[in-house]
Every structure is written in structure tokens, then in C-alpha cells.
Amino acid sequence: MQQILDGNQIDALETRYRTNFINSLSGYKSANLLGSINSSGQTNLALMTSVFHIGANPPLMGLLIRPHSVPRHSLENLLEQQCYTLNAVSCDMFEQAHQTSAHYDRDVSEFDATGLTEEYSDALKAPYVLQSPVKIGLSLVETQTLDVNNTVLVIGQIIEVQVDFSLMADDGKLDLNAAGLVAVSGLDEYHKASSLGRLPYASRNGVG
Amino acid sequence: MQQILDGNQIDALETRYRTNFINSLSGYKSANLLGSINSSGQTNLALMTSVFHIGANPPLMGLLIRPHSVPRHSLENLLEQQCYTLNAVSCDMFEQAHQTSAHYDRDVSEFDATGLTEEYSDALKAPYVLQSPVKIGLSLVETQTLDVNNTVLVIGQIIEVQVDFSLMADDGKLDLNAAGLVAVSGLDEYHKASSLGRLPYASRNGVG
């Protein structure tokens, strides 16, 4: 039995209740750790649940950062170094990934605080997370502040991917179940997923 | 054993292979049906896997539309009527939802073509999907074309939600598992999810 919440009722919800409710409305989200570094070599790791695909050619990804939230250090670092990494969160390390969202001081690396391990490649300065099954290196393309609520949209181009090639199907698709990735809902719930199947390209002549 | 794909190797991938690969890199995505209507009363329904949370106060959601893709009719409609709906896709109707991505002519409603049912409320003109367990009515706030690849970012404010209140936890969070929502990976794979649990607010003093 569905009930209706109208705009006035949503506005009247207690702040924390509304945050939990609205955050869970969009459905399942991806979980990625944003790795960054500053000019002094101080690393930073932040859990992002707003990473999304923008395009495949060129290969572009977007993410949203609230300027006054924990990931502001990440934003400062990626603006300074013009690069960052995104590291998929798996069932084996989602508790450590969640822990990166604690308010650590500027001089504390979330790598040290959570026991996740830095890993570097020749392609970019920013650190990868060794434990992640899907590691993406990105070059910053642009940032833009959204007028509606001062959230910052960050767009990056993929310049490197580290993944076990056996996770890739013959047509290029990654098997996210086999990689053990988690999905997130709301601010704090983690899920594992199991496939219902791949569907064929939809034709106007009907399913299948 | 992880291997590396560098930027040049990604560029050299066959187009369809690269599309499948890059599309699956961001992780699990939400699945929502965008419902819209034009001034003649012609309805449209399009599967969106790029819906994301922007903010809770005011309650804002974003989505991305490629201007030359199937959902361009949706974009025209929401610009004309300044409203649209997002309807979460469940395990019970993901095949019909996927079928909306076929290239139907402008005068064919995807509701009729797929057997999904229009439902209306007094709050906005755009149609909801009766079969969806989480229905969101939105008022258009702004659209903006991203220079990087001409993708259109659509931002809307939530003006109504229809949901079974028993799916809401005491703190406002929706139980997406109980609602039966699917997650998507890449272009065509659907998943059900099962919770690994909710984690407490992270403190710098350690997990828990």
C-alpha cells in the first residue's frame, strides 16, 4: 500500500530523517574510494557514492563533492595535482572504506588510519588502493560548482585501469559480481549483488 | 592477478568493446524509469541508469541524458512541461523497463509498447509507472550541457514521493532490498541485492 509524501511534508521532515530518506531515494549506488595526494606527499582517501559514467569515447567519469564535507581535502588535492584515482570497494574491505568517512585531521592519511595500502603506478602521482579489484586512474578535465546547492561536479578522463582481465567478458563488460563489488544505499548500508542476467539489445519488435 | 590498460590501449579498443568496458567501470548503478508527457498528451518512458543524489535540503536529484540517444524525447518533454517522474525499477519489471530502450517512433508511448501502466497524481502532469515501488515526482530546476561531450545534466527538485511507508526505517532510510529494486551494471546486466548491514557513523577513534 503506497502512501504519498508531498513537497510540504518532505520539507517538514526532521533534518536527519530527511537526509536518510532522500539519500536512499535514487536507488543503489556505486562505492569508490577517491585516492589523492598533495604537493607535500600527504595522501588522502575518501569514500564516494556519487561516481557516474559520463561517456566511453573519450572515457569520462563524473562525481559530486560537497565543499564542506569530509572529501574537501580530496577536492583540494585533485585541483592541485590535476589527477586522482577511483578504487572500487569490495565486500572484503567495505568496513575500512566506510571508516575513511571519519573526520580525520589534515595531516592524517586515511590509508594509515584504516589499514588500506597505497600503491603507485608510473601513469599518475595519485595513490591507488592495493586491496581494490578495479582501480581507475584519472586526469582532471574540469570542475564546476552547481548553483543549486554549491556541490562541485568533478569530471575526469580515464588514463589507466588496473583490473584482472579474467573479469572481462568477451564483449568488454566487467563481471562486478565476480569482482566482489558492493552497492550502497543511503548513507550507510552496503549490499552484495547477484546477477539476474544480461538482457539482449532491445528491439521495437519486442523483448528478445 | 591484475593487469594494466593504459590510455592508449583504452583508445585502441574496438568501439563496442570499449563502450561495454567503460560503462561497467563505475560500479553498480540505479535503474529508474523517467516518465514524461508533451503538450499533446503523448507520454514517454525511458530507462535511466545515471540518476544520482545531489542534496537533501532542498531535495535534489540529477541525471544525465545523451542528446542523440533514445531518451531525447524525454528531454524535449521535460523541457516543455518542466516536470517529470522517476520510478524505481524492481525485480518484477526489469525486463519491461529494459524494453523501453528500444527505438520506438515519436508517436508510440513506451507505456503501451511494454505493458507498463500510467498513473497520475494531482501534483504534476507527468505520468508515474503504477508498477514501481518507489515513485518520485520532480519539478525541473535546470538543464546544462556538459562541454566535454554534449551530455545534458538535468537537475530536478523532488515535489512528491509515493512509497509504502513500511519500507522506511525509523530514521527515514528506505529498505531497497525489501522494495525489490534492481541494480544495473554496464548496459544490460541486472542484479538483485542483499544487505551486508548498516554501519555506524564513522568516528576518528575507530570502527564502531
Side-chain angles (χ1 to χ4, degrees), chain B residues 74-139:
Chain B
S74 302
L75 183 57
E76 293 163 8
N77 290 351
L78 66 85
L79 284 168
E80 186 185 287
Q81 299 295 321
Q82 298 285 304
C83 67
Y84 54 105
T85 68
L86 291 170
N87 305 269
V89 175
S90 70
C91 296
D92 295 331
M93 43 92 118
F94 74 96
E95 287 162 309
Q96 289 160 294
H98 184 76
Q99 181 60 27
T100 65
S101 60
H103 285 262
Y104 295 108
D105 292 334
R106 184 75 172 97
D107 62 351
V108 174
S109 170
E110 289 81 4
F111 281 101
D112 297 332
T114 63
L116 294 168
T117 310
E118 298 175 14
E119 184 182 41
Y120 292 89
S121 96
D122 293 336
L124 73 173
K125 288 185 183 170
Y128 288 108
V129 177
L130 174 69
Q131 290 83 353
S132 171
V134 184
K135 303 169 186 144
I136 307 163
L138 299 107
S139 171

